Amino acid sequence: MAVTLVQERLGASSMAEQVLRTIGPVVLLGPPGAGKGTQSKRITEHYHIPQVSTGDLLREHVRQQTPLGIEVQAIIARGELVPDHLVCDIVAWRLRQPDADRGFILDGFPRTQKQAAWLDSFLKFEFFETGKWASWLPIVIRIQVDYNKLLLRITGRRTCPTCGAIYNVHSNPPLVDEICDKDGTKLVIRDDDRDEVIRERLDTYERQTKPVAEYYDKLGRLVTINGDQSVDDVSAAILKEIDGRACGVASGTEAKGN
Ligand code: ADP
Ligand code: ADP
């Protein structure tokens, strides 16, 4: 009954399109604190495609003290980048899970030119050549935020270790101080969200990740969005871009490589 009502209001076909549509790869670029994680979660809710956050995946390895986690924890703690081959292996594993078949949001990947080149060939061979998708080229969205605002956002960030919800003591505080609204867990400050590491991470972004944006720009793939707006306005701008450029299902009618 409830479903029928919703279908009538939305129109049955628009609901089905929303659920079944192939979105393809979406890359969110931007410095630490720009809002990539916050926006990824909203895109996930909207299109039902998974968020693939290399930061979250790496932190989970560290938390579980896997061999990889032990190898990378000091690197992350210093605010440096984990070696490309290690990150690419994790991403390959994640993108091969069945829930990524209609698309995914890459949050925090690629972060170097080598990772970007690796991603190109991975998408081409695993999603396009196999006939899964009509295009392998990602939708690349860069979220841009003023440097001083980034500092404020990062120092105010709190996350829920249970459900991954992201809060901010200044702009998006939980209802009860330091407690997650969704599951009541005590919120944590990420180990690398501390003053001495933050500047290193922002420098690393300038040196190693900005060239990735330039790479996608030269390919005509880069869209820059003003991340200084409210969370809702940034989401609206991102969803508009994705709606206009989703890759669709492989039909044989679109030119290869488009
Ligand atoms: P990133 O994943 O890019 O590092 P996050 O999504 O974790 O960024 O956001 C960093 C911090 O900024 C979080 O505390 C989040 O609540 C806050 N934040 C995100 N987007 C906005 C926004 N548009 N306006 C104000 N604060 C924001
Ligand atoms: P933020 O959300 O603040 O941009 P992330 O959670 O994406 O930070 O990343 C945290 C840390 O994990 C990085 O500083 C880096 O050490 C490591 N990391 C995450 N993604 C990558 C990547 N694609 N390549 C190398 N290191 C990465």
Side-chain angles (χ1 to χ4, degrees):
M1 165 81 170
V3 172
T4 317
L5 265 178
V6 175
Q7 277 179 340
E8 273 170 13
R9 284 199 188 129
L10 280 177
S13 63
S14 81
M15 261 187 87
E17 275 163 23
Q18 204 62 346
V19 174
L20 297 173
R21 215 168 143 210
T22 295
I23 301 299
V26 178
V27 170
L28 283 193
L29 290 179
K36 302 181 297 296
T38 303
Q39 295 300 333
S40 296
K41 290 181 197 319
R42 289 177 157 227
I43 303 170
T44 287
E45 276 168 23
H46 190 82
Y47 297 107
H48 306 282
I49 56 174
Q51 168 191 14
V52 177
S53 158
T54 42
D56 286 349
L57 292 169
L58 289 165
R59 278 187 290 278
E60 187 56 23
H61 276 277
V62 172
R63 199 184 63 76
Q64 292 190 14
Q65 288 289 282
T66 64
L68 173 69
I70 292 166
E71 187 175 348
V72 302
Q73 64 186 358
I75 301 173
I76 296 174
R78 288 195 299 270
E80 294 165 10
L81 292 186
V82 169
D84 292 326
H85 68 280
L86 296 177
V87 184
C88 292
D89 280 355
I90 302 182
V91 172
W93 167 81
R94 183 61 188 88
L95 299 189
R96 286 180 180 136
Q97 306 303 308
D99 67 335
D101 268 3
R102 287 191 306 107
F104 40 80
I105 307 132
L106 287 166
D107 161 9
F109 184 93
R111 259 177 153 101
T112 65
Q113 280 175 304
K114 272 200 178 152
Q115 291 177 15
W118 175 89
L119 180 65
D120 277 353
S121 50
F122 185 85
L123 294 175
K124 207 170 192 170
F125 293 120
E126 302 242 353
F127 289 94
F128 177 63
E129 301 280 337
T130 55
K132 269 188 193 164
W133 294 350
S135 166
W136 57 273
L137 289 169
I139 301 168
V140 185
I141 296 173
R142 171 173 57 182
I143 307 175
Q144 235 169 12
V145 177
D146 170 79
Y147 188 91
N148 289 322
K149 284 203 177 133
L150 288 176
L151 292 177
L152 203 66
R153 283 192 187 180
I154 301 171
T155 50
R157 171 161 53 193
R158 301 289 184 274
T159 52
C160 174
T162 304
C163 71
I166 304 170
Y167 298 88
N168 192 284
V169 294
H170 312 293
S171 61
N172 177 31
L175 296 172
V176 179
D177 244 13
E178 305 293 332
I179 300 293
C180 179
D181 295 348
K182 296 179 184 165
D183 53 35
T185 308
K186 187 164 171 31
L187 302 179
V188 295
I189 300 179
R190 264 171 50 180
D191 284 343
D192 57 348
D193 276 354
R194 303 191 189 270
D195 274 351
E196 50 302 353
V197 188
I198 291 171
R199 280 171 209 281
E200 173 61 30
R201 285 165 56 211
L202 290 167
D203 285 354
T204 303
Y205 176 80
E206 288 292 317
R207 273 185 282 113
Q208 289 179 271
T209 310
K210 262 205 173 160
V212 174
E214 284 153 22
Y215 166 79
Y216 285 122
D217 198 18
K218 279 192 192 129
L219 292 176
R221 306 297 301 169
L222 184 73
V223 179
T224 300
I225 282 175
N226 173 13
D228 262 349
Q229 315 170 75
S230 71
V231 172
D232 282 349
D233 287 348
V234 177
S235 300
I238 291 177
L239 297 186
K240 193 170 158 214
E241 281 303 328
I242 296 177
D243 277 341
R245 299 165 68 202
C247 84
V249 287
S251 62
T253 53
E254 293 183 53
K256 279 202 162 193
N258 274 341

